[in-house]
């Protein structure tokens, strides 16, 4: 399959208030051999059936604001509530002493694919093998149903470790795109002080 580029070669200037990121799409078509992960005796995984929008957005912000996650914040509340209630969606949290500190969201598609929609940990949980431990659970859940493939995407606004982590977990890159969007800090959707590694250019 060939694609006609919509951006010219070279540097393309962006207006103030805009963000651009390179998106990488990855997939795995068969369950890989399980990787050893460090035990996490202080952590538990909790499945949340039809969680409230307020709870979900709070956890989404906790793990994603420093990477400018904003897509779920733009959804209408009724649409997001319906999504979270769907039998095709699973939302898990990583808990420590009863506090939700990590998010895993999976969605099984009608075409037989499963998407790793969101995967994130609070800063306190990064390191120590928690990510690998959570990913092993994600893979097991995805392939607990008969699927064609398990897929995910990441971008250059995400953690610098994200792409390497996904490939080590068994995902294979298959596509790339450029995403241009409004900086969510301009509108106040995300506080200005978040994601300090991404300069805020107001113009």
């Amino acid at each position: 399959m060939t694609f006609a580029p919509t951006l010219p070669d070279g540097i393309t200037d962006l207006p103030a208030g805009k963000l651009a990121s390179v998106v990488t799409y990855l997939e795995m078509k068969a369950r890989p051999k399980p990787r050893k992960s460090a035990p996490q005796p202080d952590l538990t995984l909790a499945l949340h059936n039809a969680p409230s929008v307020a709870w979900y957005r709070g956890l989404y912000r906790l793990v994603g604001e420093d990477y400018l996650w904003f897509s779920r914040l733009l959804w209408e509340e009724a649409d997001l509530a319906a999504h979270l209630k769907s039998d095709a969606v699973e939302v898990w949290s990583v808990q420590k002493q009863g506090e939700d500190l990590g998010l895993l969201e999976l969605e099984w598609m009608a075409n037989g694919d499963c998407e790793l929609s969101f995967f994130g940990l609070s800063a306190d949980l990064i390191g120590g093998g928690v990510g690998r431990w959570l990913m092993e659970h994600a893979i097991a859940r995805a392939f607990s149903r008969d699927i064609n493939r398990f897929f995910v995407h990441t971008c250059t606004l995400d953690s610098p470790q994200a792409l390497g982590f996904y490939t080590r977990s068994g995902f294979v890159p298959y596509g790339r795109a450029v995403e241009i969007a409004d900086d969510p800090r301009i509108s106040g959707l995300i506080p200005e002080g978040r994601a300090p590694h991404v300069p805020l250019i107001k113009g």
Side-chain angles (χ1 to χ4, degrees), residues 58-78:
L59 184 55
Y60 180 90
R61 285 183 177 278
L62 176 69
V63 303
E65 276 193 345
D66 274 335
Y67 305 108
L68 299 182
W69 290 12
F70 64 87
S71 60
R72 290 288 193 258
L73 303 178
L74 293 174
W75 282 33
E76 294 292 338
E77 185 164 343

Side-chain angles (χ1 to χ4, degrees), residues 19-105:
L19 294 173
S21 63
V22 177
V23 179
T24 301
Y25 300 96
L26 306 100
E27 64 185 1
M28 60 171 69
K29 295 186 176 180
R31 183 176 179 178
K33 181 179 178 180
R35 302 170 72 204
K36 291 183 179 179
S37 58
Q40 302 296 330
D42 296 333
L43 303 179
T44 57
L45 281 165
L47 175 62
H48 300 265
N49 293 311
S52 73
V53 169
W55 174 88
Y56 175 87
R57 282 185 170 154
L59 184 55
Y60 180 90
R61 285 183 177 278
L62 176 69
V63 303
E65 276 193 345
D66 274 335
Y67 305 108
L68 299 182
W69 290 12
F70 64 87
S71 60
R72 290 288 193 258
L73 303 178
L74 293 174
W75 282 33
E76 294 292 338
E77 185 164 343
D79 293 336
L80 184 52
H83 171 80
L84 296 173
K85 291 178 182 177
S86 170
D87 292 338
V89 174
E90 282 189 359
V91 176
W92 296 77
S93 71
V94 179
Q95 296 182 338
K96 184 174 184 179
Q97 297 179 345
E99 184 178 4
D100 297 301
L101 298 174
L103 172 64
L104 167 63
E105 182 181 335

